Amino acid sequence: MESEESRYARHHLIDWWEQKRLSQAKVMVVGAGAIGNEVIKSLALLGVGNLWIVDFDTVEVTNLTRSVLFRESDIGRSKAEVAAERARDINPHINVHALSCDLEYEIGSGVYRAMDVVIGCLDSLQARLALNRACYRVGVPWINGGIEVTVAEVSLFQAERGACFECSMSP
């Protein structure tokens, strides 16, 4: 088994890279579908030390064409739990937590407050609004990622800078 040091040897070649800081980071990914799969995979490869994966849904056959972490044998299982297992397979040196729950009603403010950043990979406007409100309330920055057909959107929202997802919406 390789050491953590050799796993991240290429990262250490980047002058400004701080692998220790990344290994101590607390990141929540909300939504473990197509975009969430890519984000989770990348965070595991980078060595983000503490990862929370939130999704209330289950794997369906239609997920298999867009979600690298899911297999046919996963159909019917919790997306959050399967994605967490695969993230641990990718990098056994990280702590991964699966939360198979509704982000609006089943995650308390303390969980959001404990995060360094939250990454939203959601296809529901209602869920994005709930995530925005939770992160804004506790002052945690969040990144909104979304895809609609061939258009992608990535936005950063930081409460201390006055930015919020709802503020960017027209009536």
Side-chain angles (χ1 to χ4, degrees):
M1 180 181 223
E2 88 293 339
S3 71
E4 276 192 75
E5 185 64 30
S6 63
R7 175 182 283 262
Y8 305 114
R10 298 288 181 175
H11 297 175
H12 294 299
L13 297 175
I14 303 169
D15 290 339
W16 50 266
W17 195 264
E18 295 182 48
Q19 190 64 42
K20 183 176 181 176
R21 184 174 179 191
L22 201 56
S23 70
Q24 295 172 346
K26 295 178 184 128
V27 178
M28 181 190 296
V29 177
V30 183
I35 298 172
N37 262 234
E38 293 302 320
V39 169
I40 293 161
K41 175 196 72 172
S42 296
L43 294 174
L45 288 169
L46 286 170
V48 168
N50 303 283
L51 184 58
W52 280 259
I53 301 171
V54 179
D55 200 307
F56 70 87
D57 209 356
T58 58
V59 178
E60 298 176 12
V61 69
T62 58
N63 297 125
L64 302 179
T65 60
R66 307 178 319 277
S67 304
V68 69
L69 301 178
F70 301 150
R71 311 285 181 268
E72 199 164 321
S73 60
D74 298 322
I75 293 172
R77 293 185 61 209
S78 160
K79 284 183 179 180
E81 290 174 15
V82 173
E85 287 173 16
R86 299 287 151 61
R88 285 185 209 101
D89 288 345
I90 291 169
N91 190 340
H93 300 289
I94 63 175
N95 299 307
V96 186
H97 311 273
L99 299 174
S100 298
C101 62
D102 187 309
L103 74 101
E104 188 170 6
Y105 302 108
E106 298 180 81
I107 300 177
S109 295
V111 176
Y112 289 105
R113 191 176 290 113
M115 298 301 131
D116 294 309
V117 67
V118 175
I119 304 173
C121 305
L122 299 161
D123 55 10
S124 159
L125 178 59
Q126 184 65 31
R128 288 179 184 176
L129 291 170
L131 184 59
N132 176 71
R133 290 175 187 145
C135 290
Y136 191 84
R137 189 170 36 254
V138 299
V140 172
W142 78 282
I143 299 168
N144 174 46
I147 295 178
E148 186 173 331
V149 188
T150 59
V151 178
E153 174 190 355
V154 176
S155 309
L156 170 65
F157 299 100
Q158 295 177 283
E160 71 271 4
R161 294 192 178 181
C164 112
F165 178 70
E166 286 184 71
C167 300
S168 70
M169 300 173 74
S170 65

